[in-house]
Amino acid sequence: ALRTAYMKLATQLHPDKFTDDSDDVRAQATEAFDRVRSAWDELDTDEKRAKYIDHVILGKPTEEEEAMAQVKALLDAEADFKKGLAAFNAGRLSAAHKLFEDAARAAPEELEFCAYKAYTTFALNRKTDMEAAQGAITDLKDILDANSHQERRLDGAWVLLGRAYREIGEKESAKRVLVQALKFNPANPDAPR
């Protein structure tokens, strides 16, 4: 039905049918013909029609717009993470934790963001809610387990786990994971401390 309608309009509006008319009528016919041809180019296959309906009629974002939104979310998450690191290094754990939570929520596949969130959860709860603190240590272990399947190793996350163990008095466990951090990155400045 769409092809039939297109062919009918294209035949009616083809500029060759208006060669004897005024320049204004030929220009209008040419413009109308170009619009009909452009519409057909956008709708000539089932796939193109579905995309048009989704994007133009239903207002869904295009694949490119979705990809750009994902890139923006990742960049925003990285910015939050960097601000979180600055707050963390300045000893402002609550502020750092909030920023790490935001970064991990926006990019849950970024294990480094999740590791810092888990550690700050531990640090904020270790004196008041040991169950939450232990849960954060478990989360940190799970993150490191997930990282074991990745090419880029998170030596910093091993250091965080070592710090957590040291803070709850498990010195042998702390030593073991800090040695692991040094295996992944001998230049890590935090592991020897």
Side-chain angles (χ1 to χ4, degrees), residues 101-138:
E101 277 185 322
D102 293 345
R105 187 178 316 104
E109 70 284 350
E110 290 295 326
L111 296 179
E112 187 174 25
F113 300 174
C114 298
Y116 275 87
K117 174 189 164 226
Y119 177 77
T120 54
T121 299
F122 161 80
L124 291 171
N125 288 291
R126 73 182 174 92
K127 291 182 179 176
T128 58
D129 185 352
M130 199 53 190
E131 186 176 327
Q134 285 294 339
I137 289 175
T138 301

Side-chain angles (χ1 to χ4, degrees), residues 78-93 95-97 99-100 116:
E78 286 178 359
D80 283 341
F81 180 71
K82 287 179 180 176
K83 290 177 193 171
L85 282 178
F88 181 78
N89 291 330
R92 298 185 345 258
L93 284 181
H97 180 67
L99 289 161
F100 293 147
Y116 275 87

Side-chain angles (χ1 to χ4, degrees), residues 62-80:
T62 64
E63 290 174 7
E64 183 178 297
E65 290 170 338
E66 286 178 350
M68 289 303 293
Q70 289 174 346
V71 168
K72 183 183 179 328
L74 182 57
L75 291 174
D76 290 346
E78 286 178 359
D80 283 341

Side-chain angles (χ1 to χ4, degrees), residues 45 48 81 156:
T45 67
K48 287 181 180 179
F81 180 71

